Amino acid sequence: MTAVELIATCWTSSGDVAPLAPDERSPFDIADRVAAVATTGWAGIGIAQDDVRHVRDTIGYAKLGELIHEAGLRYTELELLTDWWETGERRRRSDEVRAVLFDAAESLGATHIKIGTAFGEALTSIDLLISPLRDLADEAAGRGLRVALEPMPFSMVASVPMGADLVRAVDRPSCGLLVDSWHVFRAGTSLADLRASLTPDIVFAAELNDAAAARVGTLFEDTINERLLCGEGSFDLTGLIRTLTELGYRGPWGVEIISRSHRALPLESALQRAHDTAASVIRSAL
């Protein structure tokens, strides 16, 4: 049987909280989340910025690191930094988040920090992002960290090929891409597009999830409320897994399930279902 290493990305273990909520902190204690992630077979855990800040102000990064190590988890990822290209007040707030995520990532030995761009129309040119992303990548490298850009179809960097162009223009080994199945297929990106635009050196992470053929509501509403477990929707996850594997990606595989139904489940039940369905799809693909 193919060995599969999976990361429970932050929303997969967060419980009843959604992206862009006024307070994105999980209602579950971080120690309980780490224990549940380990118990249900995962190799790593993701933690969002509000939870990271709460850890800093309560048990501290060193204690969280101990919990993660004692649970046998091998991967930790943190998210999400945006507005890193901005100026003024937006940039000031972004830099505060950057400091929190960088400090935590350094302490926890995080595999990468996820970054994004603002919601809205896709840029017609990536030029304005190259210099600030290069600066961000250089700062990360100076602390032994990596940043992984996540293209989203409702954002400035709207597709994986567009993100690949940006990462190549930045040209720093500390800057790469996160390839998320929802963002691939909802953007209309084909597997041929991925093969043409990606090389193994820039793929820092991959995330799996599924969805119905037709979106429900806006793209953003669909992505935070209607995602499905792997294998229960319309996405060609087998093709995506095989494409990334053929390109040289070897995992671990993140699993990002964000939906009303997932949020309503008990923590261990939600994690077990997400883990087992993803592992089954990956093993069938490989």
Side-chain angles (χ1 to χ4, degrees):
M1 182 178 291
T2 303
V4 177
E5 289 192 310
L6 301 179
I7 296 176
T9 63
C10 74
W11 304 112
T12 302
S13 74
S14 289
D16 193 14
V17 64
L20 292 191
D23 182 349
E24 291 184 346
R25 284 181 299 172
S26 169
F28 297 124
D29 182 81
I30 190 64
D32 294 337
R33 289 173 68 188
V34 169
V37 166
T39 298
T40 50
W42 302 82
I45 187 170
I47 309 171
Q49 58 164 301
D50 280 355
D51 285 317
V52 172
R53 191 176 289 105
H54 184 65
V55 166
R56 179 199 64 188
D57 296 340
T58 53
I59 65 171
Y61 301 143
K63 179 59 178 179
L64 175 57
E66 289 177 13
L67 293 172
I68 290 170
H69 176 73
E70 290 169 1
L73 300 179
R74 294 178 292 284
Y75 307 100
T76 303
E77 63 174 28
L78 306 179
E79 65 174 274
L80 178 77
L81 178 65
T82 188
D83 287 345
W84 38 266
W85 65 92
E86 285 283 7
T87 59
E89 180 61 17
R90 284 182 178 272
R91 179 57 182 269
R92 186 193 66 77
R93 292 196 300 267
S94 176
D95 284 350
E96 289 179 353
V97 175
R98 182 189 306 205
V100 170
L101 293 177
F102 275 35
D103 287 349
E106 193 171 25
S107 178
L108 297 171
T111 54
H112 58 267
I113 296 168
K114 294 164 66 171
I115 66 172
T117 54
F119 296 172
E121 294 297 319
L123 294 175
T124 57
S125 170
I126 60 173
D127 289 352
L128 71 89
L129 297 179
I130 295 172
S131 179
L133 184 50
R134 186 176 290 139
D135 290 344
L136 177 63
D138 286 343
E139 183 180 344
R143 299 182 65 171
L145 306 174
R146 303 194 305 170
V147 293
L149 174 68
E150 184 172 15
M152 306 179 192
F154 42 77
S155 72
M156 296 163 68
V157 179
S159 69
V160 170
M162 187 177 181
D165 288 343
L166 175 56
V167 166
R168 287 201 177 88
V170 168
D171 192 26
R172 292 293 191 269
S174 55
C175 178
L177 286 176
L178 186 154
V179 179
D180 181 302
S181 59
W182 194 96
H183 299 307
V184 168
F185 293 115
R186 283 296 195 245
T189 303
S190 69
L191 299 181
D193 294 333
L194 294 183
R195 284 190 288 270
S197 61
L198 295 177
T199 49
D201 57 305
I202 66 171
V203 180
F204 283 6
E207 292 182 352
L208 303 175
N209 41 71
D210 217 329
R215 78 175 192 229
V216 179
T218 65
L219 279 169
F220 185 69
E221 290 167 343
D222 193 50
T223 201
I224 68 167
N225 292 324
E226 305 296 339
R227 294 194 190 196
L228 300 175
L229 296 170
C230 295
E232 296 188 357
S234 65
F235 292 166
D236 183 7
L237 296 180
T238 295
L240 176 63
I241 293 162
R242 288 176 177 170
T243 296
L244 292 176
T245 301
E246 289 164 5
L247 286 167
Y249 186 72
R250 295 293 180 266
W253 301 89
V255 182
E256 187 172 62
I257 308 300
I258 316 175
S259 70
R260 292 188 182 96
S261 58
H262 184 80
R263 290 193 285 271
L265 293 172
L267 178 58
E268 285 200 13
S269 176
L271 283 165
Q272 197 70 69
R273 295 178 69 207
H275 176 280
D276 293 352
T277 49
S280 177
V281 168
I282 295 168
R283 290 191 178 105
S284 294
L286 301 178

